[in-house]
Amino acid sequence: AQKVTQAQTEISVVEKEDVTLDCVYETRDTTYYLFWYKQPPSGELVFLIRRNSFDEQNEISGRYSWNFQKSTSSFNFTITASQVVDSAVYFCALTYGGSQGNLIFGKGTKLSVKP
Amino acid sequence: NAGVTQTPKFRVLKTGQSMTLLCAQDMNHEYMYWYRQDPGMGLRLIHYSVGEGTTAKGEVPDGYNVSRLKKQNFLLGLESAAPSQTSVYFCASSYRQGFGELFFGEGSRLTVL
């Protein structure tokens, strides 16, 4: 079965702390893509990153970084020096060859960053 | 840059009423999707389309119908609304290849009393 698990339902940190959001995925396909989306309190879904199954290089974008490890089927997301504006629900998602582009979402992790 | 536009943004229905949600995209995308978002459930796929004139069922299709008569539009219909259909509905579109980023609309909040 194709599945995405975000075990952390809610995380609360104080501003400037680092925080890691966990994502574990399951798929039988060898070709797949992993995504992270952010949903701020305003409700829209904002694309953050896409990673394909053949590229295990970690990626850094400003305060955001992503660690993709096929050996543990994980695609974790770290925010360094968190800010109040990072408060949102973060979704990890998976698409694979047979999905017709459909994203399979995890249930999301709600991050609250307090000043 | 309109992107993906959903109408209406909010709607309140009584049980048994019908309604249609309209999704329009101006990016010439082949793939379009309807998701629903419920608390603690993430987003679940209702129906999708891989091109004009095509539709397919997703994870939770019961109680909904869809149509894709024009490439840029994807309609979601509720023939007889039920309280269980109270949710936030998101439309999305993506590139032909199917592995591209999904572009989402702003969401439509539907309440069924």
Side-chain angles (χ1 to χ4, degrees):
Chain A
Q2 327 284 342
K3 185 180 176 183
V4 174
T5 302
Q6 295 180 255
Q8 305 149 309
T9 305
E10 293 192 40
I11 300 176
S12 182
V13 299
V14 176
E15 207 170 19
K16 297 184 182 176
E17 282 186 30
D18 299 347
V19 58
T20 295
L21 309 182
D22 297 333
C23 173
V24 174
Y25 63 92
E26 295 177 31
T27 178
R28 289 186 295 271
D29 282 51
T30 56
T31 301
Y32 54 89
Y33 283 75
L34 296 162
F35 298 75
W36 277 94
Y37 280 82
K38 174 182 179 180
Q39 187 176 41
S42 52
E44 75 275 21
L45 284 149
V46 179
F47 167 80
L48 295 178
I49 189 171
R50 178 183 66 169
R51 174 67 67 200
N52 76 58
S53 54
F54 300 107
D55 181 3
E56 284 194 75
Q57 279 194 339
N58 293 332
E59 181 154 342
I60 298 174
S61 176
R63 296 184 296 105
Y64 294 172
S65 61
W66 291 268
N67 181 258
F68 177 29
Q69 291 196 335
K70 289 176 76 171
S71 60
T72 56
S73 297
S74 64
F75 187 44
N76 296 338
F77 173 31
T78 297
I79 302 174
T80 303
S82 59
Q83 299 177 2
V84 172
V85 293
D86 295 326
S87 296
V89 180
Y90 290 88
F91 291 98
C92 181
L94 163 75
T95 187
Y96 59 97
S99 71
Q100 300 281 12
N102 166 39
L103 284 177
I104 298 170
F105 283 85
K107 294 185 178 181
T109 297
K110 182 178 181 180
L111 174 65
S112 298
V113 182
K114 302 188 186 309
Chain B
N1 287 353
V4 179
T5 304
Q6 294 179 225
T7 52
K9 300 287 191 294
F10 301 92
R11 184 75 187 268
V12 178
L13 290 177
K14 294 181 179 178
T15 297
Q17 287 185 319
S18 63
M19 76 156 295
T20 300
L21 294 175
L22 171 62
C23 177
Q25 52 96 2
D26 61 2
M27 296 172 283
N28 202 35
H29 285 168
E30 289 288 342
Y31 291 66
M32 296 187 75
Y33 311 86
W34 276 107
Y35 288 87
R36 60 177 287 172
Q37 183 180 22
D38 303 292
M41 298 296 292
L43 281 84
R44 294 179 293 168
L45 182 69
I46 305 171
H47 285 280
Y48 65 98
S49 168
V50 300
E52 182 179 318
T54 75
T55 63
K57 294 180 180 179
E59 180 185 355
V60 289
D62 294 343
Y64 304 95
N65 56 74
V66 288
S67 65
R68 183 101 181 266
L69 298 179
K70 293 183 179 180
K71 185 177 183 178
Q72 63 269 32
N73 295 338
F74 194 30
L75 279 65
L76 178 71
L78 286 72
E79 288 188 349
S80 179
S84 61
Q85 294 176 304
T86 294
S87 188
V88 180
Y89 293 86
F90 285 94
C91 177
S93 69
S94 71
Y95 311 140
R96 171 183 289 274
Q97 292 84 356
F99 282 115
E101 164 195 353
L102 261 64
F103 293 81
F104 284 87
E106 294 181 340
S108 298
R109 183 174 294 275
L110 174 65
T111 300
V112 183
L113 303 175

